[in-house]
Amino acid sequence: MASQTYYELYRRSSIGLALIDTLDGFVHDGRMEPQLAMKVISSFDRAITEVLASQVKARLNFKGHLDTYRFCDEVWTFLIKDVNFKLENQNIVHADKVKIVSCNAKKPGET
């Protein structure tokens, strides 16, 4: 069975940060070995990628002012200011700043 690697982007999401904070506490208290914590984090990377790809069907539109964009190592990063998100139910949500990071579904070199 080939071991596939997943992007680590979601580790910086609220749920990812909460998981890492909890695991750090377990390791610090001696309730978990660091190697097991790393396995849990790797499982999180896989699970969140697969669930978002297969189960989230919601769509939205957004408008804003593009402040900065970058393309480095096959990753696009967009910093957008004064953003309005229009959800499927026609509700509008405003944010002062948004950072969007976009990667290919497959890492470079994968088939």
Side-chain angles (χ1 to χ4, degrees):
M1 182 171 147
S3 175
Q4 182 176 0
T5 57
Y6 293 87
Y7 287 111
E8 299 175 0
L9 290 173
Y10 301 107
R11 293 181 186 188
R12 295 191 62 202
S13 66
S14 349
I15 192 168
L17 291 172
L19 174 64
I20 290 170
D21 187 45
T22 301
L23 293 172
D24 283 346
F26 287 165
V27 169
H28 184 265
D29 293 344
R31 295 169 46 191
M32 180 181 280
E33 293 296 320
Q35 297 83 358
L36 180 57
M38 290 307 299
K39 283 186 179 184
V40 171
I41 293 170
S42 294
S43 293
F44 169 78
D45 293 338
R46 177 191 51 77
I48 197 158
T49 299
E50 291 174 357
V51 167
L52 289 175
S54 67
Q55 295 184 17
V56 176
K57 304 297 181 205
R59 298 194 179 269
L60 61 82
N61 292 315
F62 65 90
K63 280 187 178 180
H65 302 284
L66 182 61
D67 183 52
T68 307
Y69 65 94
R70 288 181 210 105
F71 182 69
C72 182
D73 296 331
E74 299 294 319
V75 176
W76 280 102
T77 303
F78 301 94
L79 301 175
I80 306 169
K81 291 184 176 179
D82 194 28
V83 184
N84 287 313
F85 294 94
K86 188 174 184 181
L87 310 176
E88 286 179 331
N89 62 7
Q90 302 303 312
N91 285 348
I92 295 177
V93 177
H94 177 79
D96 292 331
K97 294 186 282 187
V98 173
K99 180 179 183 179
I100 298 174
V101 180
S102 177
C103 304
N104 287 330
K106 294 182 180 180
K107 288 190 173 182
E110 288 183 349
T111 57

